[in-house]
Amino acid sequence: MPDAPSPDPQDLAHRRRLAAWAGATRRLADGPVSGTLAQRLARLADEAPSAYDLDDWTDVYGDGVVAALERRTADLLGTEAAAFFPSGTMAQQVALRCWADRTGNRTVAMHPLAHPERWERDALTQLTGLRVVHPTSAPRNPTGDEVRDLAEPFGTLALELPLRDAGFVLPDWDELTGAVDAARDRDAVVHLDGARLWECTAHYGRGLPELAGLADSVYVSFYKSLGGLSGAALAGPASLVEEAVAWRHRYGGQLFQQWPAALSALVGLDRELPRLPEYAARAKVVAAALREAFGGGAGGAGGSGSAAGPVPWFRIGPEVPHTHQFSVWLPYDAEVLTEASVRLAEETGTVLFRGWSDAGPPGVAVAEVTVAAPGLAWTAADVAEAAAGFLARVR
């Protein structure tokens, strides 16, 4: 009998992390894939009856519960229509393709840190023949002047709100409307990568229809911020959405049944959407406590700790979070920090950070912090205690 294959070290490490997160009793937010298959199914069965009539039939190619989710999304955003997509990657590629056909210009202006540029394997170019230009490379969305002064014509301006890979940053309202107005002055349409648009309302003090109304189309995610299983929607004029539905079919996104994702999205709209402003307020408390803990009283968003401070350098960005998510940079290798995070969870039952990734310069790593319902119970003292335990394990 042949010997059994040796366990994959990476798989073992991944499973160890999942077990540590799942076994923790204190966390700032539930992870996007927290729980076993059985636990997730049980949770959906428990929560879904309050969001949709489970005596209705399952969806077939997008009717039933999926259609109900599309109508509700359009109503929330104040658009004529919305279409459900299995992924935001597909939704945005379809949107930008449709706008390129309509404007006759296959050039899209977007930030180099935007999702299609960073995480989609050059799909815009490979699949649709679109070309991307960058109004700015600064770690923020472009200003009106940068859009207006872009050296070549473009048909669509795509803005990611918030800009995740810059630290979940948002422009202020005048900066945002200035960029939109500049695109209009150049006869371009505006598309919002609003995967996390749900969480932007508190920062602006404006409702979803006003935010979505700035653009010609908007994409939103149902698992980011809302805790759904998967899925996204593209919202905008009915004629655009109708065209996008045809392209969704061509791209292979017309799935036979999608009711689990649609049900979980409706649950998220009921449960999580109203609480996002509360989460954003608590994220400010958590970020301030981390600055204090890392800097020994003297650190800042881009500063160093005091002579007696726990770490020689750190960055929390934005200094005051714009949403319920923000980023933390520390001067250690990602592997070291991830191990410290796992050990903290295993040994104390506390999750402060999850995974870390290398962030550019050698020896600097970044983690994303999300504050949701479990984090509402955390005080500044709780954050300080968890940070001290984490740093002790780094060393």
Side-chain angles (χ1 to χ4, degrees):
M1 183 174 181
D3 293 336
S6 300
D8 179 2
Q10 289 187 336
D11 181 62
L12 290 176
H14 176 66
R15 289 178 176 274
R16 179 191 169 206
R17 289 195 298 269
L18 291 179
W21 310 151
T25 55
R26 297 177 68 237
R27 55 178 67 85
L28 290 169
D30 291 323
V33 291
S34 60
T36 64
L37 290 171
Q39 289 169 336
R40 294 301 299 271
L41 287 171
R43 178 177 169 184
L44 182 59
D46 180 59
E47 295 173 338
S50 64
Y52 191 78
D53 181 6
L54 298 191
D55 289 329
D56 196 4
W57 297 103
T58 61
D59 69 290
V60 178
Y61 292 122
D63 64 0
V65 64
V66 176
L69 175 61
E70 291 173 334
R71 289 191 297 271
R72 184 167 179 190
T73 302
D75 289 344
L76 284 168
L77 297 175
T79 61
E80 289 183 351
F84 184 83
F85 279 77
S87 75
T89 296
M90 184 185 293
Q92 292 216 105
Q93 288 178 26
V94 166
L96 296 174
R97 179 173 199 145
C98 290
W99 284 126
D101 290 342
R102 289 176 171 228
T103 63
N105 188 318
R106 305 193 74 75
T107 299
V108 180
M110 70 170 62
H111 199 283
L113 293 178
H115 195 279
E117 285 285 83
R118 288 291 305 276
W119 303 110
E120 296 179 16
R121 298 190 176 189
D122 198 29
L124 287 179
T125 298
Q126 296 296 323
L127 297 181
T128 65
L130 301 186
R131 177 170 171 269
V132 175
V133 294
H134 304 143
T136 182
S137 59
R140 52 162 175 74
N141 272 290
T143 65
D145 287 342
E146 289 165 339
V147 173
R148 193 171 287 106
D149 295 340
L150 194 55
E152 51 193 304
F154 57 92
T156 304
L157 172 66
L159 298 172
E160 183 176 320
L161 300 179
L163 187 57
R164 173 194 177 182
D165 284 332
F168 302 97
V169 296
L170 289 166
D172 66 32
W173 184 254
D174 289 341
E175 290 169 340
L176 177 57
T177 57
V180 170
D181 291 343
R184 306 279 191 226
D185 291 343
R186 298 194 57 167
D187 297 323
V189 298
V190 177
H191 169 76
L192 290 185
D193 176 342
R196 298 171 174 84
L197 192 73
W198 313 112
E199 63 196 61
C200 297
T201 55
H203 180 75
Y204 289 118
R206 299 168 189 270
L208 287 167
E210 190 170 2
L211 291 175
L214 292 174
D216 299 280
S217 61
V218 58
Y219 135 68
V220 290
S221 172
F222 294 121
Y223 76 87
K224 298 166 184 171
S225 306
L226 298 181
L229 294 176
S230 62
L234 176 65
S239 62
L240 176 80
V241 172
E242 183 179 4
E243 183 181 354
V245 165
W247 278 108
R248 181 184 66 188
H249 196 171
R250 294 175 183 130
Y251 271 65
Q254 190 77 355
L255 304 186
F256 179 54
Q257 291 186 22
Q258 302 180 92
W259 54 268
L263 278 175
S264 66
L266 288 169
V267 170
L269 290 173
D270 283 346
R271 183 189 63 214
E272 296 301 304
L273 183 58
R275 305 192 73 181
L276 288 173
E278 189 179 7
Y279 299 166
R282 181 60 53 172
K284 294 177 173 60
V285 174
V286 173
L290 286 175
R291 285 198 305 275
E292 183 76 14
F294 290 154
S304 61
S306 66
V311 293
W313 178 91
F314 68 95
R315 179 174 176 82
I316 295 174
E319 181 176 358
V320 177
H322 295 170
T323 71
H324 74 311
Q325 297 179 287
F326 59 92
S327 294
V328 177
W329 289 263
L330 288 176
Y332 304 94
D333 290 337
E335 185 176 349
V336 171
L337 296 175
T338 298
E339 174 63 19
S341 301
V342 172
R343 287 183 55 206
L344 180 70
E346 290 175 334
E347 296 167 12
T348 72
T350 298
V351 177
L352 179 61
F353 304 108
R354 293 177 184 265
W356 292 76
S357 61
D358 295 315
V364 175
V366 64
E368 296 177 347
V369 177
T370 300
V371 179
L376 295 178
W378 285 52
T379 65
D382 293 330
V383 177
E385 178 185 359
F390 167 73
L391 289 175
R393 287 163 177 80
V394 172
R395 298 197 175 96

